[in-house]
Structure formats: C-alpha cells, structure tokens
Amino acid sequence: GLQQARTIIRMLLEFAEQNPGMTKVLIGDALVNEDERLQQRMNQFVDRVELALRQCWKIAATQESLREEEATLRAGLLMAFVMGRWHRFAKSGFQKRPTETAAQQIALLLG
C-alpha cells in the first residue's frame, strides 16, 4: 500500500516535470478564461487521485501496523503535497523541479 502511494506521488510529480504546460492546466492557471467544465474535470481528477491514495493507505493499514481511520487525512495531506509541488514548479518559472528532494519528503509524509 505505501509503495503504491509512493509510486502514484512520484508519477504525478515526474509527469508535471516532463510536461510544464500541463502543470499549468493541473493547477488551474491555464483554465482561468476557459469553460467552467474544464476546471470541474481537473477537480474531479484530483479527487480521484486522492481516492486512490486513500485506498493505498487502507491497504497499507492491513499490511502494517497503521491506523486505517487516518486514510482520509493522509490522502488529503499527500494530495496537498503534490499540488503544492505543482504550484511551486509553475510559479518558479519551471525552475524548482517538483521531484527535487521529493523522495525524502514523501518518506516523512508516509512515515
């Protein structure tokens, strides 16, 4: 479960790093003057990823001595971390890579 969560987070960060234009879409900057449905779809994407992270935590709770009731809190925290990294990348003019020191921070978040 925890390995699945690490994989999902790394994939999201690496995707953003490889696709700076899509990063602006992911954080909503490129959707400011677009149809509201596009922003809703991006919100739905984020919700689905958070749901997947919640499921990863629940799986991990059955495999290790983790508290299953923390799944929703942990998933929200992990998704906030990913979105923060996306924002930092975009707002730095794509200079501060989302994967920079991410492995260590993910390890801290997943404890």
Side-chain angles (χ1 to χ4, degrees):
L2 293 180
Q3 186 58 41
Q4 288 175 327
R6 276 187 197 89
T7 301
I8 290 170
I9 294 166
R10 287 292 297 187
M11 183 269 309
L12 292 169
L13 297 178
E14 289 170 3
F15 177 82
E17 192 169 307
Q18 297 296 318
N19 301 283
M22 278 302 295
T23 302
K24 286 192 163 263
V25 173
L26 290 168
I27 65 172
D29 280 6
L31 303 175
V32 172
N33 296 320
E34 296 294 327
D35 190 318
E36 187 178 314
R37 289 184 310 170
L38 294 174
Q39 184 61 56
Q40 289 172 344
R41 291 190 100 159
M42 288 314 306
N43 292 343
Q44 186 179 45
F45 168 75
V46 169
D47 290 343
R48 286 182 179 171
V49 172
E50 191 170 331
L51 176 64
L53 291 170
R54 189 177 318 136
Q55 287 302 110
C56 290
W57 188 264
K58 287 180 179 182
I59 290 168
T62 64
Q63 297 170 338
E64 302 175 32
S65 59
L66 302 173
R67 297 174 45 171
E68 186 174 336
E69 57 272 9
E70 291 180 354
T72 300
L73 296 172
R74 294 282 186 155
L77 178 65
L78 293 170
M79 201 60 225
F81 168 75
V82 169
M83 293 177 74
R85 289 305 208 134
W86 289 344
H87 275 278
R88 180 175 173 251
F89 183 49
K91 300 304 179 185
S92 72
F94 306 110
Q95 298 302 308
K96 294 186 178 179
R97 296 176 304 117
T99 57
E100 185 179 311
T101 68
Q104 296 91 333
Q105 292 175 337
I106 293 167
L108 287 172
L109 290 170
L110 292 175

